[in-house]
Amino acid sequence: MEKLVAFTSFLLLLQYYVISTAMTQSNISTDQLALLSLKSQIISDPFHFLNESWSPAKFACHWVEVTCGSRHQRVRFLNLSNMDLTGVIPRELGNLTFLVSLDLGSNKFHGNLPQEMTQLHRLKFLDLSFNSFSGEVPSWFGFLHQLQVLNLGNNSFTGSIPSSFSNMNFNSIEGQIPKVIGSLINLRVLKLRGNKLKGSIPLSLSNASRLETLDLSYNSLRGNIPEGIGNLHNMNSLVIQFNQLMGSIPSTIFNISRIEFIAFTGNSLSGSLPNGLCNGIPILKGLYLSYNKICRHMPTSLSNCSQLQILSLSENEFEGPIQSEIGRLSNLQILELGANHFTGIIPQEIGNLVNLMELWMEINQITSSVPISIFNISSLQILSLAVNNLNGFLPRDIGNLTKMKFLYLQENRFTGEISNEISNLG
């Protein structure tokens, strides 16, 4: 009896092993056939990445740029970016149902995207940028609920924007940003740069609480910046340049403690900057506000943005003195204050900006002489002080600026001779 039980157990174990092995082989065969189908649709592989590696005689998980999961041995990651491949996407690609990441960026793929890609329900990352895909942007992206990053930039897509998407750059897409964008709760990257978007920024965008990068630049968006964007506490980069936005910048944006880049260049924003500008954004590295209508004084709290590298405030309506506290920004590399209504003197503390490469203060109402401390900034490559009321003479110390490439001093009231040391300029 015991021998019979043992023999029965052995048969059951053997049956499980055979079935499990068959299922694994079936899954691998499915993935391998899908990849071979993709290879068959590639008409040009100039660097022979796939011709030499993707062989039916080899286990698919060992092919170049193919990564499988350890548990099911199914394809999880496929990265064919920057291989200069030419071809189309076969519908069999939709059989890679365990795929988490698909990167086909920077190739020469063309044609439409097959609807069978809706079967990639585990997909979190999809990059199809810098190809020649055409047709309408597929509405079935809405079925990929796990998607966190979708990059369709630099293709030839046409038509209207579907209700779920995250990263479309430089296509021929027209229409408004749909309100349902706020329902994409897993969205981390949203780039709609360089399209023909119009209308206003939807209030529902503030519901995308995991959003880290937002770029809506080079469109025709109007209206105000929604106050709710300040509720996106994970935001790292907020870029909405060259649109037609109006009104003041919501103060809530300056409380996003994780933000590193704020860029609203080239709009019609007005109002003033809050007095406590940098108190809530301690790791800000870039503040781009040029070409707007922002007015009043420059906040002294700017000095609290100790990691600031680029401060761009040109072509606004700022007035009053240039605050001496700006000299505390020791990491500053570019300072743009040109074409405003600044008055008073250039504070000598600017000489403390030892990493400064570009200093733009042209077309203001600045008076007195240029502080000698500026000529000790050895890293300076561009110095623009033109069209002010500066006077005095240029000291010999100007020869210290050996890296100088562009020096603009015209339309001031300088006197004296030009120092021979000016020949030391780069």
Side-chain angles (χ1 to χ4, degrees):
M1 183 66 181
E2 292 180 359
K3 291 182 179 180
L4 180 61
V5 172
F7 182 69
T8 303
S9 299
F10 171 76
L11 289 177
L12 290 172
L13 184 62
L14 180 63
Q15 183 181 22
Y16 171 80
Y17 174 79
V18 171
I19 293 174
S20 177
T21 302
M23 289 180 65
T24 301
Q25 289 178 343
S26 174
N27 290 336
I28 290 300
S29 297
T30 298
D31 288 0
Q32 188 159 334
L33 288 172
L35 294 175
L36 288 173
S37 179
L38 174 60
K39 179 183 177 181
S40 70
Q41 296 300 315
I42 294 174
I43 60 176
S44 177
D45 178 12
F47 300 106
H48 306 289
F49 287 117
L50 307 187
N51 287 339
E52 297 176 359
S53 172
W54 285 27
S55 169
K58 293 182 180 180
F59 186 39
C61 293
H62 296 159
W63 291 357
V64 67
E65 303 300 347
V66 175
T67 304
C68 295
S70 58
R71 181 180 177 187
H72 298 289
Q73 291 295 297
R74 299 293 301 274
V75 176
R76 300 272 288 172
F77 300 90
L78 179 60
N79 184 359
L80 302 182
S81 61
N82 296 290
M83 290 187 175
D84 203 25
L85 303 173
T86 303
V88 298
I89 305 299
R91 55 187 183 176
E92 287 81 3
L93 193 71
N95 293 332
L96 299 176
T97 53
F98 277 69
L99 202 61
V100 173
S101 176
L102 175 60
D103 191 347
L104 303 179
S106 299
N107 284 290
K108 296 177 182 177
F109 286 105
H110 55 273
N112 296 344
L113 301 178
Q115 189 169 354
E116 285 76 8
M117 289 180 69
T118 56
Q119 299 166 201
L120 307 178
H121 56 89
R122 291 182 171 88
L123 206 60
K124 294 182 179 180
F125 179 94
L126 177 58
D127 190 342
L128 304 177
S129 62
F130 292 94
N131 281 283
S132 298
F133 291 110
S134 57
E136 293 190 355
V137 179
S139 60
W140 46 256
F141 280 130
F143 295 105
L144 304 179
H145 299 298
Q146 300 297 319
L147 205 58
Q148 296 179 9
V149 176
L150 170 62
N151 190 345
L152 304 180
N154 294 74
N155 280 283
S156 299
F157 290 111
T158 58
S160 60
I161 299 175
S163 59
S164 58
F165 53 89
S166 76
N167 188 349
M168 300 179 223
N169 299 325
F170 294 106
N171 293 300
S172 299
I173 304 171
E174 300 184 27
Q176 298 188 5
I177 301 175
K179 295 180 180 179
V180 296
I181 185 63
S183 65
L184 299 177
I185 59 174
N186 290 314
L187 197 64
R188 298 180 187 274
V189 178
L190 174 57
K191 292 185 179 180
L192 301 174
R193 183 185 182 93
N195 287 288
K196 298 178 181 178
L197 294 172
K198 54 188 179 182
S200 59
I201 301 172
L203 299 176
S204 61
L205 189 60
S206 60
N207 296 328
S209 58
R210 296 186 181 181
L211 202 59
E212 298 172 2
T213 299
L214 176 63
D215 189 348
L216 305 177
S217 301
Y218 297 97
N219 283 288
S220 299
L221 297 172
R222 296 176 176 269
N224 296 341
I225 301 171
E227 190 87 18
I229 285 185
N231 298 327
L232 301 176
H233 300 299
N234 291 307
M235 186 74 73
N236 173 270
S237 178
L238 176 58
V239 184
I240 314 178
Q241 301 189 105
F242 298 100
N243 280 277
Q244 300 167 32
L245 299 176
M246 303 176 67
S248 59
I249 302 172
S251 59
T252 54
I253 287 176
F254 300 112
N255 291 322
I256 304 175
S257 60
R258 296 184 181 181
I259 204 159
E260 294 186 24
F261 299 96
I262 299 175
F264 296 131
T265 301
N267 284 282
S268 296
L269 297 171
S270 57
S272 60
L273 297 179
N275 289 329
L277 175 65
C278 286
N279 295 342
I281 45 178
I283 62 173
L284 190 70
K285 292 182 172 63
L287 181 61
Y288 305 81
L289 301 178
S290 292
Y291 300 99
N292 281 287
K293 300 177 181 178
I294 303 172
C295 60
R296 299 183 185 172
H297 290 192
M298 180 193 301
T300 57
S301 62
L302 267 170
S303 61
N304 294 331
C305 286
S306 59
Q307 297 188 35
L308 198 63
Q309 297 175 8
I310 299 176
L311 176 59
S312 179
L313 303 179
S314 295
E315 296 277 353
N316 277 285
E317 298 177 9
F318 288 104
E319 59 188 31
I322 297 172
Q323 305 292 348
S324 60
E325 286 83 358
I326 206 168
R328 299 178 188 172
L329 299 174
S330 58
N331 291 306
L332 205 61
Q333 297 176 15
I334 297 176
L335 176 58
E336 298 179 347
L337 303 178
N340 280 284
H341 306 297
F342 287 115
T343 56
I345 65 172
I346 300 175
Q348 63 177 1
E349 287 82 359
I350 282 186
N352 298 331
L353 304 178
V354 295
N355 294 303
L356 199 64
M357 294 186 292
E358 298 182 18
L359 176 58
W360 301 82
M361 291 186 172
E362 73 283 354
I363 317 177
N364 280 286
Q365 300 164 31
I366 303 171
T367 59
S368 193
S369 59
V370 180
I372 293 179
S373 61
I374 283 184
F375 302 116
N376 293 324
I377 306 175
S378 59
S379 57
L380 208 57
Q381 298 177 19
I382 298 176
L383 176 59
S384 180
L385 303 176
V387 195
N388 279 285
N389 292 313
L390 295 167
N391 54 43
F393 63 94
L394 297 177
R396 292 182 177 182
D397 302 77
I398 196 171
N400 296 335
L401 304 178
T402 56
K403 295 183 180 179
M404 183 65 63
K405 296 179 180 178
F406 300 97
L407 177 62
Y408 303 103
L409 302 175
Q410 68 270 25
E411 296 190 50
N412 281 286
R413 298 180 180 180
F414 293 116
T415 57
E417 296 181 354
I418 298 176
S419 172
N420 291 331
E421 280 75 11
I422 202 167
S423 62
N424 296 335
L425 303 185

mmCIF file with all atom_site columns, all heavy atoms in Angstrom, residues 2 75 132 165 226 270 276 317 344 349 358 389-390:
data_model
loop_
_atom_site.group_PDB
_atom_site.id
_atom_site.type_symbol
_atom_site.label_atom_id
_atom_site.label_alt_id
_atom_site.label_comp_id
_atom_site.label_asym_id
_atom_site.label_entity_id
_atom_site.label_seq_id
_atom_site.pdbx_PDB_ins_code
_atom_site.Cartn_x
_atom_site.Cartn_y
_atom_site.Cartn_z
_atom_site.occupancy
_atom_site.B_iso_or_equiv
_atom_site.pdbx_formal_charge
_atom_site.auth_seq_id
_atom_site.auth_comp_id
_atom_site.auth_asym_id
_atom_site.auth_atom_id
_atom_site.pdbx_PDB_model_num
ATOM 1  N N   . GLU A 1 2   ? 1.915  1.255   0.853   1.00 0.00 ? 2   GLU A N   1
ATOM 2  C CA  . GLU A 1 2   ? 2.806  2.407   0.933   1.00 0.00 ? 2   GLU A CA  1
ATOM 3  C C   . GLU A 1 2   ? 3.513  2.628   -0.391  1.00 0.00 ? 2   GLU A C   1
ATOM 4  O O   . GLU A 1 2   ? 3.730  3.764   -0.817  1.00 0.00 ? 2   GLU A O   1
ATOM 5  C CB  . GLU A 1 2   ? 3.824  2.207   2.054   1.00 0.00 ? 2   GLU A CB  1
ATOM 6  C CG  . GLU A 1 2   ? 3.188  2.239   3.443   1.00 0.00 ? 2   GLU A CG  1
ATOM 7  C CD  . GLU A 1 2   ? 4.214  2.040   4.534   1.00 0.00 ? 2   GLU A CD  1
ATOM 8  O OE1 . GLU A 1 2   ? 5.417  1.864   4.182   1.00 0.00 ? 2   GLU A OE1 1
ATOM 9  O OE2 . GLU A 1 2   ? 3.858  2.075   5.705   1.00 0.00 ? 2   GLU A OE2 1
ATOM 10 N N   . VAL A 1 75  ? 9.323  38.088  -20.969 1.00 0.00 ? 75  VAL A N   1
ATOM 11 C CA  . VAL A 1 75  ? 9.993  39.331  -21.320 1.00 0.00 ? 75  VAL A CA  1
ATOM 12 C C   . VAL A 1 75  ? 9.362  40.494  -20.551 1.00 0.00 ? 75  VAL A C   1
ATOM 13 O O   . VAL A 1 75  ? 8.159  40.734  -20.654 1.00 0.00 ? 75  VAL A O   1
ATOM 14 C CB  . VAL A 1 75  ? 9.918  39.592  -22.840 1.00 0.00 ? 75  VAL A CB  1
ATOM 15 C CG1 . VAL A 1 75  ? 10.547 40.939  -23.174 1.00 0.00 ? 75  VAL A CG1 1
ATOM 16 C CG2 . VAL A 1 75  ? 10.634 38.480  -23.597 1.00 0.00 ? 75  VAL A CG2 1
ATOM 17 N N   . SER A 1 132 ? 9.029  57.996  -36.930 1.00 0.00 ? 132 SER A N   1
ATOM 18 C CA  . SER A 1 132 ? 8.176  58.566  -37.980 1.00 0.00 ? 132 SER A CA  1
ATOM 19 C C   . SER A 1 132 ? 6.783  57.952  -37.938 1.00 0.00 ? 132 SER A C   1
ATOM 20 O O   . SER A 1 132 ? 6.152  57.736  -38.971 1.00 0.00 ? 132 SER A O   1
ATOM 21 C CB  . SER A 1 132 ? 8.814  58.333  -39.359 1.00 0.00 ? 132 SER A CB  1
ATOM 22 O OG  . SER A 1 132 ? 10.057 58.987  -39.450 1.00 0.00 ? 132 SER A OG  1
ATOM 23 N N   . PHE A 1 165 ? -2.997 60.390  -21.815 1.00 0.00 ? 165 PHE A N   1
ATOM 24 C CA  . PHE A 1 165 ? -1.707 60.536  -22.458 1.00 0.00 ? 165 PHE A CA  1
ATOM 25 C C   . PHE A 1 165 ? -0.766 61.088  -21.419 1.00 0.00 ? 165 PHE A C   1
ATOM 26 O O   . PHE A 1 165 ? -1.168 61.522  -20.370 1.00 0.00 ? 165 PHE A O   1
ATOM 27 C CB  . PHE A 1 165 ? -1.786 61.517  -23.636 1.00 0.00 ? 165 PHE A CB  1
ATOM 28 C CG  . PHE A 1 165 ? -2.375 62.828  -23.237 1.00 0.00 ? 165 PHE A CG  1
ATOM 29 C CD1 . PHE A 1 165 ? -1.582 63.843  -22.767 1.00 0.00 ? 165 PHE A CD1 1
ATOM 30 C CD2 . PHE A 1 165 ? -3.748 63.010  -23.279 1.00 0.00 ? 165 PHE A CD2 1
ATOM 31 C CE1 . PHE A 1 165 ? -2.132 65.037  -22.352 1.00 0.00 ? 165 PHE A CE1 1
ATOM 32 C CE2 . PHE A 1 165 ? -4.298 64.202  -22.875 1.00 0.00 ? 165 PHE A CE2 1
ATOM 33 C CZ  . PHE A 1 165 ? -3.498 65.216  -22.415 1.00 0.00 ? 165 PHE A CZ  1
ATOM 34 N N   . PRO A 1 226 ? -3.529 77.674  -12.810 1.00 0.00 ? 226 PRO A N   1
ATOM 35 C CA  . PRO A 1 226 ? -4.423 77.232  -11.727 1.00 0.00 ? 226 PRO A CA  1
ATOM 36 C C   . PRO A 1 226 ? -3.722 77.217  -10.370 1.00 0.00 ? 226 PRO A C   1
ATOM 37 O O   . PRO A 1 226 ? -2.585 76.756  -10.249 1.00 0.00 ? 226 PRO A O   1
ATOM 38 C CB  . PRO A 1 226 ? -4.814 75.809  -12.152 1.00 0.00 ? 226 PRO A CB  1
ATOM 39 C CG  . PRO A 1 226 ? -4.567 75.755  -13.618 1.00 0.00 ? 226 PRO A CG  1
ATOM 40 C CD  . PRO A 1 226 ? -3.409 76.667  -13.868 1.00 0.00 ? 226 PRO A CD  1
ATOM 41 N N   . SER A 1 270 ? 1.709  88.908  -14.788 1.00 0.00 ? 270 SER A N   1
ATOM 42 C CA  . SER A 1 270 ? 1.848  90.218  -14.151 1.00 0.00 ? 270 SER A CA  1
ATOM 43 C C   . SER A 1 270 ? 1.884  90.038  -12.641 1.00 0.00 ? 270 SER A C   1
ATOM 44 O O   . SER A 1 270 ? 2.084  88.950  -12.131 1.00 0.00 ? 270 SER A O   1
ATOM 45 C CB  . SER A 1 270 ? 0.692  91.128  -14.581 1.00 0.00 ? 270 SER A CB  1
ATOM 46 O OG  . SER A 1 270 ? -0.548 90.531  -14.254 1.00 0.00 ? 270 SER A OG  1
ATOM 47 N N   . GLY A 1 276 ? 8.249  86.256  0.512   1.00 0.00 ? 276 GLY A N   1
ATOM 48 C CA  . GLY A 1 276 ? 8.902  85.043  1.014   1.00 0.00 ? 276 GLY A CA  1
ATOM 49 C C   . GLY A 1 276 ? 9.193  84.047  -0.080  1.00 0.00 ? 276 GLY A C   1
ATOM 50 O O   . GLY A 1 276 ? 9.104  82.829  0.129   1.00 0.00 ? 276 GLY A O   1
ATOM 51 N N   . GLU A 1 317 ? 8.988  94.310  -15.637 1.00 0.00 ? 317 GLU A N   1
ATOM 52 C CA  . GLU A 1 317 ? 8.778  95.686  -15.182 1.00 0.00 ? 317 GLU A CA  1
ATOM 53 C C   . GLU A 1 317 ? 9.232  95.858  -13.736 1.00 0.00 ? 317 GLU A C   1
ATOM 54 O O   . GLU A 1 317 ? 8.658  96.623  -12.963 1.00 0.00 ? 317 GLU A O   1
ATOM 55 C CB  . GLU A 1 317 ? 7.309  96.072  -15.350 1.00 0.00 ? 317 GLU A CB  1
ATOM 56 C CG  . GLU A 1 317 ? 6.860  96.037  -16.821 1.00 0.00 ? 317 GLU A CG  1
ATOM 57 C CD  . GLU A 1 317 ? 5.377  96.348  -17.007 1.00 0.00 ? 317 GLU A CD  1
ATOM 58 O OE1 . GLU A 1 317 ? 4.737  96.755  -16.016 1.00 0.00 ? 317 GLU A OE1 1
ATOM 59 O OE2 . GLU A 1 317 ? 4.868  96.178  -18.131 1.00 0.00 ? 317 GLU A OE2 1
ATOM 60 N N   . GLY A 1 344 ? 19.450 102.810 -9.008  1.00 0.00 ? 344 GLY A N   1
ATOM 61 C CA  . GLY A 1 344 ? 20.485 102.700 -7.994  1.00 0.00 ? 344 GLY A CA  1
ATOM 62 C C   . GLY A 1 344 ? 21.784 102.162 -8.561  1.00 0.00 ? 344 GLY A C   1
ATOM 63 O O   . GLY A 1 344 ? 22.053 102.276 -9.763  1.00 0.00 ? 344 GLY A O   1
ATOM 64 N N   . GLU A 1 349 ? 28.463 93.410  -3.687  1.00 0.00 ? 349 GLU A N   1
ATOM 65 C CA  . GLU A 1 349 ? 28.345 92.003  -3.270  1.00 0.00 ? 349 GLU A CA  1
ATOM 66 C C   . GLU A 1 349 ? 28.241 91.054  -4.450  1.00 0.00 ? 349 GLU A C   1
ATOM 67 O O   . GLU A 1 349 ? 28.450 89.842  -4.300  1.00 0.00 ? 349 GLU A O   1
ATOM 68 C CB  . GLU A 1 349 ? 27.129 91.831  -2.349  1.00 0.00 ? 349 GLU A CB  1
ATOM 69 C CG  . GLU A 1 349 ? 27.293 92.403  -0.954  1.00 0.00 ? 349 GLU A CG  1
ATOM 70 C CD  . GLU A 1 349 ? 27.031 93.908  -0.894  1.00 0.00 ? 349 GLU A CD  1
ATOM 71 O OE1 . GLU A 1 349 ? 26.733 94.510  -1.956  1.00 0.00 ? 349 GLU A OE1 1
ATOM 72 O OE2 . GLU A 1 349 ? 27.101 94.471  0.206   1.00 0.00 ? 349 GLU A OE2 1
ATOM 73 N N   . GLU A 1 358 ? 27.543 84.486  -16.722 1.00 0.00 ? 358 GLU A N   1
ATOM 74 C CA  . GLU A 1 358 ? 26.830 85.477  -17.521 1.00 0.00 ? 358 GLU A CA  1
ATOM 75 C C   . GLU A 1 358 ? 26.141 86.478  -16.593 1.00 0.00 ? 358 GLU A C   1
ATOM 76 O O   . GLU A 1 358 ? 25.392 86.077  -15.701 1.00 0.00 ? 358 GLU A O   1
ATOM 77 C CB  . GLU A 1 358 ? 25.788 84.807  -18.426 1.00 0.00 ? 358 GLU A CB  1
ATOM 78 C CG  . GLU A 1 358 ? 26.386 83.842  -19.442 1.00 0.00 ? 358 GLU A CG  1
ATOM 79 C CD  . GLU A 1 358 ? 25.326 83.237  -20.347 1.00 0.00 ? 358 GLU A CD  1
ATOM 80 O OE1 . GLU A 1 358 ? 24.211 83.807  -20.414 1.00 0.00 ? 358 GLU A OE1 1
ATOM 81 O OE2 . GLU A 1 358 ? 25.604 82.205  -20.985 1.00 0.00 ? 358 GLU A OE2 1
ATOM 82 N N   . ASN A 1 389 ? 23.138 104.361 -16.949 1.00 0.00 ? 389 ASN A N   1
ATOM 83 C CA  . ASN A 1 389 ? 23.720 105.672 -16.645 1.00 0.00 ? 389 ASN A CA  1
ATOM 84 C C   . ASN A 1 389 ? 25.014 105.492 -15.856 1.00 0.00 ? 389 ASN A C   1
ATOM 85 O O   . ASN A 1 389 ? 25.318 106.279 -14.953 1.00 0.00 ? 389 ASN A O   1
ATOM 86 C CB  . ASN A 1 389 ? 22.717 106.521 -15.849 1.00 0.00 ? 389 ASN A CB  1
ATOM 87 C CG  . ASN A 1 389 ? 21.516 106.917 -16.684 1.00 0.00 ? 389 ASN A CG  1
ATOM 88 O OD1 . ASN A 1 389 ? 21.668 107.366 -17.826 1.00 0.00 ? 389 ASN A OD1 1
ATOM 89 N ND2 . ASN A 1 389 ? 20.320 106.756 -16.129 1.00 0.00 ? 389 ASN A ND2 1
ATOM 90 N N   . LEU A 1 390 ? 25.768 104.469 -16.191 1.00 0.00 ? 390 LEU A N   1
ATOM 91 C CA  . LEU A 1 390 ? 27.021 104.195 -15.504 1.00 0.00 ? 390 LEU A CA  1
ATOM 92 C C   . LEU A 1 390 ? 28.077 105.222 -15.894 1.00 0.00 ? 390 LEU A C   1
ATOM 93 O O   . LEU A 1 390 ? 28.105 105.704 -17.036 1.00 0.00 ? 390 LEU A O   1
ATOM 94 C CB  . LEU A 1 390 ? 27.503 102.787 -15.838 1.00 0.00 ? 390 LEU A CB  1
ATOM 95 C CG  . LEU A 1 390 ? 26.587 101.651 -15.343 1.00 0.00 ? 390 LEU A CG  1
ATOM 96 C CD1 . LEU A 1 390 ? 26.974 100.335 -15.996 1.00 0.00 ? 390 LEU A CD1 1
ATOM 97 C CD2 . LEU A 1 390 ? 26.642 101.535 -13.825 1.00 0.00 ? 390 LEU A CD2 1
#
